[in-house]
Amino acid sequence: MTRLMLHWLLGGTYRRFVDSMGLRGDERVLDFGSGSGAAARHIAKRLQAGGGRLTCVDISPSWQRALHKTLRRYQNVEYALGDMRELGLPEGGFDVVLVHWMLHDVPGADRPSVLAVLASLLRPGGRLFIREPARPSEGIATAAVRSLLGAAGLRELRGTEGSAFFLGLNYSGVWQRQAG
């Protein structure tokens, strides 16, 4: 049921979110916490025609199996299983990082180091897109998300709070790694 809900019932929500990223198609994109691939399938499709590459990271073997099934027809996807901080992905190797309803699942004490790694993976000028539940009872307060991303060396380009379908209040933001 979870996969059905994420892919079919919420498919339009994920597609619109990916559309809002303004991908050209030739980028290298990292999807942190890919889960079953609800957002990744829209990214992979967009990147396939332009020669872009998608790297999907998840810590769960069962989600990774579901992700492989979802993305089986795309040749432009790489998979990484494990802790983001231990994967050895190339510093500055990505144009875009996506953190979609994932940060609240990272233990609080680990968030600063995980976000520091994600920021380091962005090329200078690269963008991090984030959407998180904004109620502290469901996720992380928006002020805390902003504080964590700023401490990781990123600058907010745009951020909004609002409702996403029946998912409740959430924060959506675009952050950029500074040159230098």
Side-chain angles (χ1 to χ4, degrees), residues 74-98:
Y74 297 101
Q75 303 303 311
N76 60 333
V77 179
E78 299 164 358
Y79 304 90
L81 176 65
D83 187 317
M84 188 74 239
R85 299 166 293 186
E86 299 171 3
L87 294 176
L89 295 171
E91 187 169 321
F94 295 90
D95 301 295
V96 172
V97 169
L98 173 63

Side-chain angles (χ1 to χ4, degrees), residues 40-118:
R41 69 189 182 111
H42 299 289
I43 296 169
K45 183 177 181 180
R46 170 128 340 169
L47 297 176
Q48 188 168 12
R53 301 284 305 166
L54 173 62
T55 300
C56 294
V57 175
D58 208 288
I59 200 163
S60 164
S62 60
W63 277 127
Q64 192 86 172
R65 284 189 298 276
L67 182 63
H68 277 271
K69 185 175 180 178
T70 299
L71 301 177
R72 65 185 170 273
R73 69 174 132 162
Y74 297 101
Q75 303 303 311
N76 60 333
V77 179
E78 299 164 358
Y79 304 90
L81 176 65
D83 187 317
M84 188 74 239
R85 299 166 293 186
E86 299 171 3
L87 294 176
L89 295 171
E91 187 169 321
F94 295 90
D95 301 295
V96 172
V97 169
L98 173 63
V99 181
H100 194 263
W101 283 320
M102 180 60 212
L103 187 59
H104 66 280
D105 287 331
V106 175
D110 293 339
R111 290 175 189 151
S113 60
V114 167
L115 287 172
V117 168
L118 291 173

